Amino acid sequence: MDFTLMHKDVSVAEMVFDDEGSLMKTRDIHSPEHMPYGTYTDGFLDGNMMKTWWKSRSIPASRPGLEDLLEISGTSDIGPIILKSLGLSLSDHYWIKPFGSELSWRDVNYFENDFSDDIGDLLFGTGCVGGEFSFSSPDATSDGVLRKRWKIIDGRRCLIKGGALPYHQEPFNEVIASKIMLILGVRHVGYELIRDGRHIYSCCEDMVDTHTELIPASRVCMVSRKSNNQNWFDHYLAVCKDHCLDVRDDIERMMIVDYIICNRDRHFNNFGIIRDSDSLSWIMTAPVFDSGSSLGSNIGTEMFDHGFFEECKPFAKSFNEQMKLISSYDWLDRESLESIPSIVEEVLSDSNGWYLPERTVKIRKLVESRISTLIDRL
């Protein structure tokens, strides 16, 4: 099956897929500057990088509800579903156009057009009962293992995410992190809690729009080779500087917030930069998002006193090592830091549907200890 890779209305390259929706080859590059960032450098296409990029635009096999989606689609893999949805996303402006089609970006993009709730409903266990099923949805290209879906709420494109067993704590963590960053003045994606029957989810508005798109840090780091005497932190800063973007302050602030909330999963795909999709210029560091895997979300309450909170990402394996990369704490103030522990109790409360008071106490003490350490560095 042949499609044209499009970047908005720019014809970028030709793509050949097998019947399972796997990318076999990319050929006839029309607009190399519009190729997905990191896949085409110094006049050469990296075919493996291109396949990796395409594969990243899919629901992982471990996503709850995927089996139901595959069953209703009559396939054994997510690939054909992504082809049916034209590979459209709400994170960037790439899509695939069937050969001979007269479709345009204005016709298909989900930033301006409505999309179906069918895939999202199925992934959230509220399945399609009879009727025609629509694959016209950005939910087919959403990554991550937690239950999630896109929904249009009052005209806004919003991402709704659930939590993982046994505590379903991640939605609450997103809100805690959001409130912390608000009082510290760290640019971030704002999260709120929403209820759907017995279930509680986090909800945030899309960070990009019809003119901007996200390039994850993983792709930023791919475009040039890291020297042996350079760490990943300095490498990332250098690549961004090559694009006239000084991101050091933003990245250090993100790392300090991650230290406060013990975020163990700040991997290279949940931070990055925002690019203008027309001029291709890099605009700014992406606002901090996806902070749910923090505050011991996967650790038993009885284990909090054993100190399992030093593992981290992305620039070091421990917070102790990563914090050595911080050049300044001057932007922090004691009063704001001391107000943070109360946020934990405010969010982890009965009124929000959280009924684990013993765990709340443990989480607050954990945050207090991190705050105390930061205050000592002021």
Side-chain angles (χ1 to χ4, degrees):
M1 293 179 283
D2 293 355
F3 291 80
T4 300
L5 175 64
M6 305 292 295
H7 192 213
K8 285 190 166 178
D9 283 318
V10 176
S11 176
V12 180
E14 308 304 326
M15 301 173 72
V16 181
F17 298 89
D18 65 16
D19 292 339
E20 296 301 315
S22 296
L23 177 61
M24 302 304 292
K25 68 169 83 170
T26 304
R27 64 189 184 193
D28 301 334
I29 297 172
H30 312 305
S31 303
E33 68 276 12
H34 283 270
M35 286 291 289
Y37 190 78
T39 64
Y40 190 93
T41 55
D42 299 326
F44 293 96
L45 170 70
D46 189 324
N48 288 330
M49 289 290 189
M50 192 63 189
K51 290 178 181 179
T52 299
W53 172 80
W54 179 255
K55 193 172 182 179
S56 71
R57 301 174 79 78
S58 65
I59 300 172
S62 56
R63 176 77 67 81
L66 180 57
E67 288 186 7
D68 294 332
L69 177 58
L70 296 179
E71 181 179 351
I72 202 168
S73 67
T75 66
S76 59
D77 190 85
I78 188 67
I81 298 174
I82 300 173
L83 296 185
K84 288 179 181 179
S85 66
L86 303 182
L88 285 156
S89 168
L90 278 170
S91 295
D92 62 32
H93 301 151
Y94 288 99
W95 60 291
I96 54 173
K97 183 177 180 178
F99 270 17
S101 170
E102 297 296 325
L103 289 172
S104 69
W105 173 248
R106 183 176 292 275
D107 297 328
V108 300
N109 82 83
Y110 295 135
F111 295 94
E112 299 171 300
N113 297 297
D114 291 346
F115 49 83
S116 170
D117 286 331
D118 287 354
I119 292 180
D121 287 345
L122 204 60
L123 292 173
F124 269 51
T126 57
C128 176
V129 181
E132 185 176 350
F133 190 88
S134 173
F135 293 95
S136 177
S137 166
D139 290 324
T141 56
S142 62
D143 62 357
V145 298
L146 291 178
R147 197 183 297 274
K148 66 171 64 171
R149 67 176 302 176
W150 287 98
K151 201 163 182 66
I152 300 175
I153 303 175
D154 298 329
R156 302 174 300 142
R157 274 61 183 162
C158 295
L159 184 64
I160 299 171
K161 293 199 304 181
L165 292 170
Y167 304 108
H168 297 282
Q169 186 180 318
E170 288 82 358
F172 298 90
N173 290 348
E174 296 283 18
V175 176
I176 290 171
S178 182
K179 288 178 176 290
I180 289 172
M181 288 185 278
L182 183 63
I183 66 169
L184 292 182
V186 177
R187 198 159 46 82
H188 65 286
V189 173
Y191 288 81
E192 60 182 347
L193 294 174
I194 62 172
R195 292 173 182 259
D196 183 7
R198 296 182 298 107
H199 302 288
I200 297 174
Y201 303 100
S202 67
C203 179
C204 69
E205 189 171 355
D206 197 353
M207 75 177 79
V208 297
D209 55 30
T210 55
H211 304 291
T212 59
E213 58 189 354
L214 172 70
I215 299 180
S218 59
R219 306 213 70 79
V220 171
C221 290
M222 287 176 184
V223 76
S224 62
R225 188 180 297 275
K226 182 179 76 69
S227 62
N228 291 333
N229 62 350
Q230 192 178 46
N231 60 41
W232 282 108
F233 179 70
D234 290 334
H235 176 67
Y236 184 74
L237 298 185
V239 175
C240 291
K241 197 155 227 178
D242 287 343
H243 287 264
C244 303
L245 205 61
D246 185 351
V247 302
R248 184 174 194 119
D249 285 350
D250 290 334
I251 297 302
E252 288 190 5
R253 291 182 182 213
M254 178 187 75
M255 290 194 295
I256 287 176
V257 171
D258 283 343
Y259 173 78
I260 293 171
I261 63 175
C262 307
N263 186 356
R264 70 181 190 278
D265 199 34
R266 180 66 66 197
H267 52 76
F268 281 91
N269 281 320
N270 62 11
F271 70 102
I273 63 98
I274 302 296
R275 176 175 80 165
D276 184 302
S277 58
D278 298 310
S279 68
L280 304 183
S281 60
W282 290 20
I283 302 172
M284 62 182 179
T285 306
V288 181
F289 66 101
D290 195 11
S291 303
S293 297
S294 55
L295 298 173
S297 61
N298 68 333
I299 294 175
T301 305
E302 72 282 358
M303 302 301 291
F304 265 63
D305 296 328
H306 296 273
F308 293 100
F309 301 100
E310 285 310 306
E311 179 183 344
C312 81
K313 298 173 183 174
F315 301 116
K317 293 182 179 180
S318 72
F319 280 110
N320 183 51
E321 289 301 312
Q322 186 157 281
M323 293 297 280
K324 292 177 182 178
L325 300 171
I326 303 296
S327 62
S328 173
Y329 296 87
D330 291 347
W331 61 278
L332 290 169
D333 71 271
R334 185 183 186 115
E335 183 177 353
S336 295
L337 288 171
E338 289 178 338
S339 70
I340 288 174
S342 63
I343 291 174
V344 173
E345 290 188 343
E346 174 193 337
V347 176
L348 298 179
S349 63
D350 292 357
S351 61
N352 285 329
W354 177 265
Y355 303 111
L356 298 168
E358 180 185 352
R359 189 170 178 83
T360 302
V361 171
K362 298 285 188 181
I363 294 171
R364 175 171 179 140
K365 286 183 178 178
L366 172 65
V367 171
E368 286 175 338
S369 69
R370 312 294 265 203
I371 294 299
S372 176
T373 301
L374 282 178
I375 289 175
D376 288 343
R377 299 187 183 194
L378 297 182

